Amino acid sequence: YAKDVLHNVGAYVSVDVFGESTNATYTTAYGQYWPAISNVVDVISGMPYPDHFNAHEYGIKEVVWTVPYKLLDKWGSYVKEKQEIIPTPAKVRTWIQAYDVMKYVDSNGISYGADEVEDEIRGLYESGLDGGYITWLSNSSLDKYRTQKDAFSIDYRKEYNNE
């Protein structure tokens, strides 16, 4: 109902969902079921922040936040599967982790610089998710973003679509 009302005034509807909402047959305890949501909104933005997953999620042998490419590529494959069963799937624009992995998650603490951000984005595009990305960095530190600027300077869409 809300989507219809908003479309009538020329607005689009976008929704953020937790990263685990794409897992196999999983419906989150808080009611997020990817196919049902994607079917009724214009844009869906999953939040697969690497440091929010279990250390060896999806059978990845390495600790997943140390291999963001592998994690986002695997996560993206689950998203693609979900999207294919939906009659009117939303565009997928994914949140990526731009903040560092904190020491309470990994005792070493891991800096997420340009390489890690690029790996996340490449994982998405390799899995076929080319609807774009948005970054999560709660403190909005321009200094942090400056350390990652090389990752944001790549035209991934052109590179992966041979444009």
Side-chain angles (χ1 to χ4, degrees):
Y1 170 78
K3 177 183 168 187
D4 292 340
V5 171
L6 290 167
H7 280 178
N8 284 337
V9 297
Y12 293 102
V13 178
S14 176
V15 70
D16 298 339
V17 295
F18 291 109
E20 71 267 21
S21 64
T22 64
N23 295 359
T25 59
Y26 187 69
T27 302
T28 64
Y30 23 83
Q32 294 183 351
Y33 181 58
W34 185 285
I37 297 169
S38 181
N39 194 48
V40 297
V41 298
D42 300 301
V43 178
I44 188 167
S45 298
M47 300 179 283
Y49 309 125
D51 72 345
H52 280 45
F53 286 93
N54 294 322
H56 302 287
E57 194 79 35
Y58 302 121
I60 296 172
K61 293 187 188 312
E62 302 90 345
V63 174
V64 296
W65 49 84
T66 67
V67 287
Y69 169 84
K70 283 185 179 182
L71 176 63
L72 273 288
D73 181 51
K74 187 68 172 175
W75 180 85
S77 70
Y78 279 91
V79 171
K80 289 292 285 184
E81 287 176 16
K82 297 288 188 199
Q83 290 291 94
E84 290 170 2
I85 65 168
I86 301 167
T88 58
K91 180 176 183 174
V92 178
R93 179 186 58 215
T94 306
W95 284 99
I96 60 167
Q97 179 173 326
Y99 59 89
D100 296 338
V101 177
M102 301 297 171
K103 288 189 178 205
Y104 66 84
V105 174
D106 188 298
S107 61
N108 297 314
I110 299 171
S111 178
Y112 260 47
D115 290 342
E116 291 76 15
V117 168
E118 181 180 343
D119 283 350
E120 288 181 273
I121 298 166
R122 287 193 183 283
L124 293 172
Y125 276 82
E126 285 288 327
S127 71
L129 297 182
D130 60 2
Y133 61 89
I134 42 184
T135 61
W136 180 247
L137 178 61
S138 64
N139 67 4
S140 300
S141 168
L142 292 178
D143 289 334
K144 180 66 172 173
Y145 277 125
R146 285 184 189 103
T147 70
Q148 300 166 335
K149 71 179 181 180
D150 289 346
F152 303 125
S153 300
I154 299 168
D155 187 345
Y156 299 95
R157 182 165 295 183
K158 183 176 182 181
E159 186 176 323
Y160 282 91
N161 292 324
N162 299 316
E163 292 178 6

mmCIF file of all heavy atoms in Angstrom, residues 60-95:
data_model
loop_
_atom_site.group_PDB
_atom_site.id
_atom_site.type_symbol
_atom_site.label_atom_id
_atom_site.label_comp_id
_atom_site.label_asym_id
_atom_site.label_seq_id
_atom_site.Cartn_x
_atom_site.Cartn_y
_atom_site.Cartn_z
ATOM 1 N N ILE A 60 33.582 -20.646 4.107
ATOM 2 C CA ILE A 60 34.860 -20.023 3.744
ATOM 3 C C ILE A 60 35.884 -20.404 4.813
ATOM 4 O O ILE A 60 35.658 -20.205 6.000
ATOM 5 C CB ILE A 60 34.701 -18.496 3.609
ATOM 6 C CG1 ILE A 60 33.742 -18.188 2.445
ATOM 7 C CG2 ILE A 60 36.063 -17.820 3.404
ATOM 8 C CD1 ILE A 60 33.353 -16.718 2.313
ATOM 9 N N LYS A 61 37.010 -20.960 4.371
ATOM 10 C CA LYS A 61 38.024 -21.462 5.308
ATOM 11 C C LYS A 61 38.698 -20.341 6.092
ATOM 12 O O LYS A 61 38.980 -20.485 7.273
ATOM 13 C CB LYS A 61 39.068 -22.282 4.559
ATOM 14 C CG LYS A 61 38.514 -23.572 3.986
ATOM 15 C CD LYS A 61 39.615 -24.425 3.405
ATOM 16 C CE LYS A 61 39.118 -25.612 2.647
ATOM 17 N NZ LYS A 61 38.140 -26.433 3.221
ATOM 18 N N GLU A 62 38.954 -19.218 5.428
ATOM 19 C CA GLU A 62 39.575 -18.086 6.107
ATOM 20 C C GLU A 62 38.526 -17.355 6.946
ATOM 21 O O GLU A 62 37.329 -17.515 6.733
ATOM 22 C CB GLU A 62 40.164 -17.083 5.099
ATOM 23 C CG GLU A 62 41.201 -17.657 4.162
ATOM 24 C CD GLU A 62 40.611 -18.205 2.870
ATOM 25 O OE1 GLU A 62 39.385 -18.406 2.787
ATOM 26 O OE2 GLU A 62 41.378 -18.441 1.930
ATOM 27 N N VAL A 63 38.982 -16.553 7.870
ATOM 28 C CA VAL A 63 38.073 -15.698 8.635
ATOM 29 C C VAL A 63 37.504 -14.675 7.645
ATOM 30 O O VAL A 63 38.260 -13.965 6.976
ATOM 31 C CB VAL A 63 38.817 -15.014 9.798
ATOM 32 C CG1 VAL A 63 37.920 -14.024 10.504
ATOM 33 C CG2 VAL A 63 39.340 -16.061 10.770
ATOM 34 N N VAL A 64 36.192 -14.621 7.526
ATOM 35 C CA VAL A 64 35.562 -13.906 6.416
ATOM 36 C C VAL A 64 35.907 -12.419 6.327
ATOM 37 O O VAL A 64 35.989 -11.868 5.230
ATOM 38 C CB VAL A 64 34.029 -14.098 6.378
ATOM 39 C CG1 VAL A 64 33.678 -15.546 6.129
ATOM 40 C CG2 VAL A 64 33.372 -13.571 7.642
ATOM 41 N N TRP A 65 36.117 -11.755 7.453
ATOM 42 C CA TRP A 65 36.423 -10.325 7.361
ATOM 43 C C TRP A 65 37.849 -10.075 6.894
ATOM 44 O O TRP A 65 38.215 -8.950 6.598
ATOM 45 C CB TRP A 65 36.122 -9.578 8.662
ATOM 46 C CG TRP A 65 36.677 -10.214 9.897
ATOM 47 C CD1 TRP A 65 37.944 -10.082 10.397
ATOM 48 C CD2 TRP A 65 35.985 -11.066 10.786
ATOM 49 N NE1 TRP A 65 38.085 -10.818 11.541
ATOM 50 C CE2 TRP A 65 36.882 -11.440 11.814
ATOM 51 C CE3 TRP A 65 34.685 -11.565 10.833
ATOM 52 C CZ2 TRP A 65 36.536 -12.274 12.857
ATOM 53 C CZ3 TRP A 65 34.341 -12.403 11.878
ATOM 54 C CH2 TRP A 65 35.252 -12.743 12.878
ATOM 55 N N THR A 66 38.659 -11.150 6.783
ATOM 56 C CA THR A 66 40.004 -11.008 6.221
ATOM 57 C C THR A 66 40.012 -11.276 4.718
ATOM 58 O O THR A 66 41.022 -11.048 4.061
ATOM 59 C CB THR A 66 41.018 -11.954 6.910
ATOM 60 O OG1 THR A 66 40.684 -13.313 6.606
ATOM 61 C CG2 THR A 66 41.051 -11.714 8.411
ATOM 62 N N VAL A 67 38.901 -11.766 4.191
ATOM 63 C CA VAL A 67 38.785 -12.052 2.754
ATOM 64 C C VAL A 67 37.465 -11.466 2.228
ATOM 65 O O VAL A 67 36.565 -12.193 1.821
ATOM 66 C CB VAL A 67 38.899 -13.565 2.457
ATOM 67 C CG1 VAL A 67 40.333 -14.052 2.635
ATOM 68 C CG2 VAL A 67 37.938 -14.389 3.314
ATOM 69 N N PRO A 68 37.344 -10.145 2.238
ATOM 70 C CA PRO A 68 36.066 -9.531 1.863
ATOM 71 C C PRO A 68 35.609 -9.860 0.440
ATOM 72 O O PRO A 68 34.414 -9.958 0.186
ATOM 73 C CB PRO A 68 36.301 -8.036 2.056
ATOM 74 C CG PRO A 68 37.772 -7.856 2.142
ATOM 75 C CD PRO A 68 38.343 -9.148 2.618
ATOM 76 N N TYR A 69 36.547 -10.076 -0.472
ATOM 77 C CA TYR A 69 36.142 -10.453 -1.832
ATOM 78 C C TYR A 69 35.374 -11.768 -1.807
ATOM 79 O O TYR A 69 34.279 -11.871 -2.360
ATOM 80 C CB TYR A 69 37.354 -10.571 -2.770
ATOM 81 C CG TYR A 69 36.965 -11.203 -4.075
ATOM 82 C CD1 TYR A 69 36.424 -10.439 -5.100
ATOM 83 C CD2 TYR A 69 37.059 -12.582 -4.264
ATOM 84 C CE1 TYR A 69 36.001 -11.029 -6.284
ATOM 85 C CE2 TYR A 69 36.646 -13.179 -5.430
ATOM 86 C CZ TYR A 69 36.114 -12.394 -6.442
ATOM 87 O OH TYR A 69 35.685 -12.979 -7.606
ATOM 88 N N LYS A 70 35.956 -12.783 -1.176
ATOM 89 C CA LYS A 70 35.311 -14.104 -1.132
ATOM 90 C C LYS A 70 33.934 -14.024 -0.489
ATOM 91 O O LYS A 70 32.972 -14.622 -0.963
ATOM 92 C CB LYS A 70 36.174 -15.103 -0.358
ATOM 93 C CG LYS A 70 37.345 -15.632 -1.112
ATOM 94 C CD LYS A 70 38.056 -16.702 -0.293
ATOM 95 C CE LYS A 70 39.237 -17.273 -1.040
ATOM 96 N NZ LYS A 70 39.893 -18.341 -0.261
ATOM 97 N N LEU A 71 33.847 -13.285 0.607
ATOM 98 C CA LEU A 71 32.570 -13.198 1.308
ATOM 99 C C LEU A 71 31.513 -12.513 0.445
ATOM 100 O O LEU A 71 30.411 -13.023 0.293
ATOM 101 C CB LEU A 71 32.720 -12.454 2.632
ATOM 102 C CG LEU A 71 31.404 -12.246 3.390
ATOM 103 C CD1 LEU A 71 30.777 -13.576 3.790
ATOM 104 C CD2 LEU A 71 31.609 -11.356 4.584
ATOM 105 N N LEU A 72 31.835 -11.367 -0.135
ATOM 106 C CA LEU A 72 30.830 -10.631 -0.907
ATOM 107 C C LEU A 72 30.467 -11.348 -2.201
ATOM 108 O O LEU A 72 29.318 -11.282 -2.652
ATOM 109 C CB LEU A 72 31.294 -9.202 -1.181
ATOM 110 C CG LEU A 72 30.968 -8.173 -0.085
ATOM 111 C CD1 LEU A 72 29.511 -7.833 -0.036
ATOM 112 C CD2 LEU A 72 31.472 -8.553 1.271
ATOM 113 N N ASP A 73 31.418 -12.066 -2.795
ATOM 114 C CA ASP A 73 31.120 -12.861 -3.980
ATOM 115 C C ASP A 73 30.143 -13.985 -3.623
ATOM 116 O O ASP A 73 29.145 -14.205 -4.326
ATOM 117 C CB ASP A 73 32.414 -13.429 -4.569
ATOM 118 C CG ASP A 73 32.181 -14.250 -5.821
ATOM 119 O OD1 ASP A 73 31.500 -13.767 -6.746
ATOM 120 O OD2 ASP A 73 32.691 -15.388 -5.882
ATOM 121 N N LYS A 74 30.398 -14.671 -2.521
ATOM 122 C CA LYS A 74 29.510 -15.758 -2.094
ATOM 123 C C LYS A 74 28.151 -15.202 -1.678
ATOM 124 O O LYS A 74 27.104 -15.729 -2.066
ATOM 125 C CB LYS A 74 30.147 -16.521 -0.922
ATOM 126 C CG LYS A 74 29.392 -17.752 -0.521
ATOM 127 C CD LYS A 74 29.465 -18.800 -1.599
ATOM 128 C CE LYS A 74 28.872 -20.109 -1.097
ATOM 129 N NZ LYS A 74 28.826 -21.109 -2.149
ATOM 130 N N TRP A 75 28.155 -14.132 -0.895
ATOM 131 C CA TRP A 75 26.901 -13.505 -0.469
ATOM 132 C C TRP A 75 26.101 -13.069 -1.700
ATOM 133 O O TRP A 75 24.898 -13.298 -1.784
ATOM 134 C CB TRP A 75 27.193 -12.318 0.438
ATOM 135 C CG TRP A 75 25.973 -11.611 0.915
ATOM 136 C CD1 TRP A 75 25.208 -11.928 1.988
ATOM 137 C CD2 TRP A 75 25.363 -10.454 0.319
ATOM 138 N NE1 TRP A 75 24.157 -11.046 2.109
ATOM 139 C CE2 TRP A 75 24.230 -10.131 1.094
ATOM 140 C CE3 TRP A 75 25.671 -9.662 -0.787
ATOM 141 C CZ2 TRP A 75 23.401 -9.058 0.789
ATOM 142 C CZ3 TRP A 75 24.847 -8.586 -1.091
ATOM 143 C CH2 TRP A 75 23.729 -8.294 -0.306
ATOM 144 N N GLY A 76 26.793 -12.451 -2.656
ATOM 145 C CA GLY A 76 26.132 -11.996 -3.880
ATOM 146 C C GLY A 76 25.487 -13.132 -4.650
ATOM 147 O O GLY A 76 24.434 -12.961 -5.263
ATOM 148 N N SER A 77 26.106 -14.321 -4.623
ATOM 149 C CA SER A 77 25.509 -15.462 -5.325
ATOM 150 C C SER A 77 24.180 -15.854 -4.679
ATOM 151 O O SER A 77 23.237 -16.236 -5.375
ATOM 152 C CB SER A 77 26.472 -16.650 -5.371
ATOM 153 O OG SER A 77 26.638 -17.230 -4.100
ATOM 154 N N TYR A 78 24.073 -15.728 -3.357
ATOM 155 C CA TYR A 78 22.803 -15.990 -2.677
ATOM 156 C C TYR A 78 21.755 -14.942 -3.070
ATOM 157 O O TYR A 78 20.588 -15.258 -3.272
ATOM 158 C CB TYR A 78 22.983 -15.998 -1.156
ATOM 159 C CG TYR A 78 23.508 -17.293 -0.619
ATOM 160 C CD1 TYR A 78 24.876 -17.502 -0.472
ATOM 161 C CD2 TYR A 78 22.646 -18.316 -0.249
ATOM 162 C CE1 TYR A 78 25.362 -18.699 0.027
ATOM 163 C CE2 TYR A 78 23.119 -19.517 0.257
ATOM 164 C CZ TYR A 78 24.485 -19.699 0.388
ATOM 165 O OH TYR A 78 24.972 -20.882 0.873
ATOM 166 N N VAL A 79 22.191 -13.694 -3.164
ATOM 167 C CA VAL A 79 21.270 -12.632 -3.578
ATOM 168 C C VAL A 79 20.748 -12.911 -4.986
ATOM 169 O O VAL A 79 19.551 -12.809 -5.254
ATOM 170 C CB VAL A 79 21.950 -11.246 -3.523
ATOM 171 C CG1 VAL A 79 21.072 -10.179 -4.150
ATOM 172 C CG2 VAL A 79 22.291 -10.884 -2.083
ATOM 173 N N LYS A 80 21.647 -13.268 -5.896
ATOM 174 C CA LYS A 80 21.231 -13.564 -7.283
ATOM 175 C C LYS A 80 20.187 -14.676 -7.302
ATOM 176 O O LYS A 80 19.203 -14.585 -8.036
ATOM 177 C CB LYS A 80 22.433 -13.950 -8.135
ATOM 178 C CG LYS A 80 23.370 -12.810 -8.460
ATOM 179 C CD LYS A 80 22.758 -11.806 -9.379
ATOM 180 C CE LYS A 80 22.727 -12.356 -10.785
ATOM 181 N NZ LYS A 80 22.242 -11.414 -11.774
ATOM 182 N N GLU A 81 20.394 -15.720 -6.514
ATOM 183 C CA GLU A 81 19.420 -16.816 -6.450
ATOM 184 C C GLU A 81 18.068 -16.316 -5.976
ATOM 185 O O GLU A 81 17.028 -16.681 -6.533
ATOM 186 C CB GLU A 81 19.903 -17.919 -5.503
ATOM 187 C CG GLU A 81 21.040 -18.745 -6.043
ATOM 188 C CD GLU A 81 21.539 -19.767 -5.026
ATOM 189 O OE1 GLU A 81 20.827 -20.049 -4.034
ATOM 190 O OE2 GLU A 81 22.661 -20.268 -5.224
ATOM 191 N N LYS A 82 18.071 -15.477 -4.938
ATOM 192 C CA LYS A 82 16.814 -14.931 -4.421
ATOM 193 C C LYS A 82 16.125 -14.059 -5.470
ATOM 194 O O LYS A 82 14.921 -14.158 -5.674
ATOM 195 C CB LYS A 82 17.047 -14.102 -3.152
ATOM 196 C CG LYS A 82 17.586 -14.880 -1.988
ATOM 197 C CD LYS A 82 16.538 -15.782 -1.400
ATOM 198 C CE LYS A 82 17.062 -16.405 -0.119
ATOM 199 N NZ LYS A 82 16.331 -17.584 0.260
ATOM 200 N N GLN A 83 16.898 -13.210 -6.119
ATOM 201 C CA GLN A 83 16.334 -12.280 -7.099
ATOM 202 C C GLN A 83 15.673 -13.012 -8.275
ATOM 203 O O GLN A 83 14.690 -12.547 -8.831
ATOM 204 C CB GLN A 83 17.405 -11.332 -7.616
ATOM 205 C CG GLN A 83 17.897 -10.314 -6.602
ATOM 206 C CD GLN A 83 16.853 -9.274 -6.262
ATOM 207 O OE1 GLN A 83 16.123 -9.426 -5.279
ATOM 208 N NE2 GLN A 83 16.766 -8.241 -7.059
ATOM 209 N N GLU A 84 16.222 -14.158 -8.640
ATOM 210 C CA GLU A 84 15.707 -14.897 -9.789
ATOM 211 C C GLU A 84 14.341 -15.525 -9.546
ATOM 212 O O GLU A 84 13.632 -15.842 -10.498
ATOM 213 C CB GLU A 84 16.721 -15.955 -10.220
ATOM 214 C CG GLU A 84 17.955 -15.328 -10.856
ATOM 215 C CD GLU A 84 19.095 -16.306 -11.096
ATOM 216 O OE1 GLU A 84 18.931 -17.511 -10.799
ATOM 217 O OE2 GLU A 84 20.150 -15.854 -11.577
ATOM 218 N N ILE A 85 13.940 -15.700 -8.300
ATOM 219 C CA ILE A 85 12.633 -16.310 -8.015
ATOM 220 C C ILE A 85 11.544 -15.264 -7.775
ATOM 221 O O ILE A 85 10.397 -15.618 -7.516
ATOM 222 C CB ILE A 85 12.708 -17.268 -6.800
ATOM 223 C CG1 ILE A 85 13.037 -16.506 -5.519
ATOM 224 C CG2 ILE A 85 13.696 -18.392 -7.050
ATOM 225 C CD1 ILE A 85 12.855 -17.320 -4.240
ATOM 226 N N ILE A 86 11.899 -13.986 -7.881
ATOM 227 C CA ILE A 86 10.970 -12.913 -7.555
ATOM 228 C C ILE A 86 10.316 -12.393 -8.838
ATOM 229 O O ILE A 86 11.008 -12.067 -9.801
ATOM 230 C CB ILE A 86 11.717 -11.768 -6.834
ATOM 231 C CG1 ILE A 86 12.356 -12.302 -5.545
ATOM 232 C CG2 ILE A 86 10.792 -10.593 -6.554
ATOM 233 C CD1 ILE A 86 13.355 -11.355 -4.926
ATOM 234 N N PRO A 87 8.984 -12.297 -8.865
ATOM 235 C CA PRO A 87 8.303 -11.810 -10.079
ATOM 236 C C PRO A 87 8.731 -10.397 -10.503
ATOM 237 O O PRO A 87 8.942 -10.138 -11.677
ATOM 238 C CB PRO A 87 6.819 -11.829 -9.697
ATOM 239 C CG PRO A 87 6.717 -12.785 -8.553
ATOM 240 C CD PRO A 87 8.031 -12.714 -7.831
ATOM 241 N N THR A 88 8.852 -9.498 -9.546
ATOM 242 C CA THR A 88 9.255 -8.116 -9.856
ATOM 243 C C THR A 88 10.361 -7.702 -8.897
ATOM 244 O O THR A 88 10.126 -6.951 -7.951
ATOM 245 C CB THR A 88 8.057 -7.149 -9.743
ATOM 246 O OG1 THR A 88 7.517 -7.248 -8.408
ATOM 247 C CG2 THR A 88 6.972 -7.462 -10.757
ATOM 248 N N PRO A 89 11.589 -8.192 -9.122
ATOM 249 C CA PRO A 89 12.662 -7.913 -8.170
ATOM 250 C C PRO A 89 13.092 -6.452 -8.174
ATOM 251 O O PRO A 89 13.090 -5.782 -9.205
ATOM 252 C CB PRO A 89 13.803 -8.812 -8.641
ATOM 253 C CG PRO A 89 13.556 -8.974 -10.104
ATOM 254 C CD PRO A 89 12.055 -8.975 -10.257
ATOM 255 N N ALA A 90 13.466 -5.992 -7.000
ATOM 256 C CA ALA A 90 13.991 -4.633 -6.854
ATOM 257 C C ALA A 90 15.405 -4.574 -7.414
ATOM 258 O O ALA A 90 16.081 -5.592 -7.566
ATOM 259 C CB ALA A 90 14.008 -4.258 -5.370
ATOM 260 N N LYS A 91 15.861 -3.375 -7.669
ATOM 261 C CA LYS A 91 17.261 -3.161 -7.997
ATOM 262 C C LYS A 91 18.055 -3.387 -6.709
ATOM 263 O O LYS A 91 17.617 -2.999 -5.628
ATOM 264 C CB LYS A 91 17.467 -1.730 -8.495
ATOM 265 C CG LYS A 91 18.888 -1.406 -8.865
ATOM 266 C CD LYS A 91 18.991 0.001 -9.433
ATOM 267 C CE LYS A 91 20.415 0.265 -9.871
ATOM 268 N NZ LYS A 91 20.522 1.551 -10.556
ATOM 269 N N VAL A 92 19.211 -4.030 -6.818
ATOM 270 C CA VAL A 92 20.040 -4.299 -5.640
ATOM 271 C C VAL A 92 21.177 -3.288 -5.584
ATOM 272 O O VAL A 92 21.991 -3.202 -6.501
ATOM 273 C CB VAL A 92 20.619 -5.735 -5.666
ATOM 274 C CG1 VAL A 92 21.517 -5.965 -4.462
ATOM 275 C CG2 VAL A 92 19.499 -6.761 -5.719
ATOM 276 N N ARG A 93 21.193 -2.506 -4.524
ATOM 277 C CA ARG A 93 22.282 -1.550 -4.246
ATOM 278 C C ARG A 93 22.762 -1.891 -2.842
ATOM 279 O O ARG A 93 22.036 -1.723 -1.875
ATOM 280 C CB ARG A 93 21.752 -0.116 -4.311
ATOM 281 C CG ARG A 93 22.815 0.933 -4.014
ATOM 282 C CD ARG A 93 22.216 2.327 -3.947
ATOM 283 N NE ARG A 93 21.170 2.368 -2.933
ATOM 284 C CZ ARG A 93 20.070 3.096 -3.021
ATOM 285 N NH1 ARG A 93 19.860 3.870 -4.062
ATOM 286 N NH2 ARG A 93 19.168 3.085 -2.050
ATOM 287 N N THR A 94 23.989 -2.397 -2.744
ATOM 288 C CA THR A 94 24.485 -3.019 -1.516
ATOM 289 C C THR A 94 25.305 -2.065 -0.650
ATOM 290 O O THR A 94 26.141 -1.324 -1.151
ATOM 291 C CB THR A 94 25.357 -4.241 -1.885
ATOM 292 O OG1 THR A 94 24.597 -5.102 -2.734
ATOM 293 C CG2 THR A 94 25.799 -4.996 -0.651
ATOM 294 N N TRP A 95 25.071 -2.154 0.649
ATOM 295 C CA TRP A 95 25.924 -1.469 1.617
ATOM 296 C C TRP A 95 27.234 -2.237 1.723
ATOM 297 O O TRP A 95 27.222 -3.464 1.768
ATOM 298 C CB TRP A 95 25.277 -1.458 3.000
ATOM 299 C CG TRP A 95 24.174 -0.480 3.172
ATOM 300 C CD1 TRP A 95 22.828 -0.728 3.099
ATOM 301 C CD2 TRP A 95 24.307 0.901 3.483
ATOM 302 N NE1 TRP A 95 22.129 0.411 3.336
ATOM 303 C CE2 TRP A 95 23.017 1.450 3.576
ATOM 304 C CE3 TRP A 95 25.400 1.744 3.688
ATOM 305 C CZ2 TRP A 95 22.773 2.780 3.862
ATOM 306 C CZ3 TRP A 95 25.163 3.075 3.972
ATOM 307 C CH2 TRP A 95 23.872 3.583 4.056
#
